[in-house]
Amino acid sequence: MSLTHVVLTSGRSLDLSELRLSSTYGGMLEGYPCKLVNDMKIKGLVHAAERARPSVPVHLVPPPREYPDQYAGAFGPVEVLPSVACVGAFHSTALDRDHDPVLYRSALTIIWFQPTTHVPYGCDAEDALREVDWEGLARDYEL
């Protein structure tokens, strides 16, 4: 049973079976959001997702980065990502038409950022999430 369904712009329907939400800057005790901090956060999310499901490919939806007019510190200008980091385990029908649709599914772990804790649903998901190239990124697996 899935948590929700997301419909890609290609028309493919995805089932979301697991979702981890975290505060993008939660636990940040010192410093400020900048490119270095953001790149480390993204790299950590990707590595954690790869370790959690080694047989499933991981895709990062490039997050939007904002540059508010604030004082640039020692690590460069302030760079802000959306406040919620999301890691989702998605599944869909098999990619290979020769695979038995009862025995095969396709899977992809997707990492994206969004401004709220809203769980994506249908066509109401973030545009960047809905534009993921499932056919080029996901991998078939046998049940």
Side-chain angles (χ1 to χ4, degrees), residues 83-106:
S83 59
V84 181
C86 308
V87 180
F90 289 91
H91 304 272
S92 186
T93 56
L95 297 168
D96 187 337
R97 296 185 194 279
D98 292 335
H99 282 155
D100 183 333
V102 175
L103 296 176
Y104 285 87
R105 305 271 290 155
S106 56

Side-chain angles (χ1 to χ4, degrees), residues 1 8 19 24 45 52-53 59-62 65 93 97-98 105-107 120 123 126 132 140:
M1 184 170 172
L8 300 180
L19 178 61
T24 300
L45 288 169
R53 289 193 163 82
H59 174 67
L60 168 71
V61 174
R65 299 173 186 244
T93 56
R97 296 185 194 279
D98 292 335
R105 305 271 290 155
S106 56
C123 296
E126 296 285 318
V132 165
D140 281 351

Side-chain angles (χ1 to χ4, degrees), residues 13-27:
S13 180
L14 308 179
D15 293 324
L16 178 63
S17 61
E18 184 178 326
L19 178 61
R20 193 176 87 230
L21 304 175
S22 61
S23 170
T24 300
Y25 301 112

Side-chain angles (χ1 to χ4, degrees), residues 47-63:
H47 287 310
E50 290 170 341
R51 284 190 309 273
R53 289 193 163 82
S55 63
V56 176
V58 174
H59 174 67
L60 168 71
V61 174

Side-chain angles (χ1 to χ4, degrees), residues 40-142:
M40 287 186 340
K41 174 68 174 182
I42 290 168
K43 190 175 185 177
L45 288 169
V46 169
H47 287 310
E50 290 170 341
R51 284 190 309 273
R53 289 193 163 82
S55 63
V56 176
V58 174
H59 174 67
L60 168 71
V61 174
R65 299 173 186 244
E66 293 182 9
Y67 300 91
D69 188 22
Q70 296 178 357
Y71 173 76
F75 298 109
V78 174
E79 180 185 88
V80 180
L81 299 175
S83 59
V84 181
C86 308
V87 180
F90 289 91
H91 304 272
S92 186
T93 56
L95 297 168
D96 187 337
R97 296 185 194 279
D98 292 335
H99 282 155
D100 183 333
V102 175
L103 296 176
Y104 285 87
R105 305 271 290 155
S106 56
L108 180 65
T109 298
I110 303 175
I111 300 168
W112 76 99
F113 290 80
Q114 60 186 35
T116 69
T117 57
H118 175 76
V119 175
Y121 177 74
C123 296
D124 210 17
E126 296 285 318
D127 288 340
L129 176 61
R130 294 190 61 233
E131 292 170 5
V132 165
D133 175 21
W134 188 266
E135 283 71 19
L137 297 167
R139 182 178 302 144
D140 281 351
Y141 67 95
E142 187 173 9

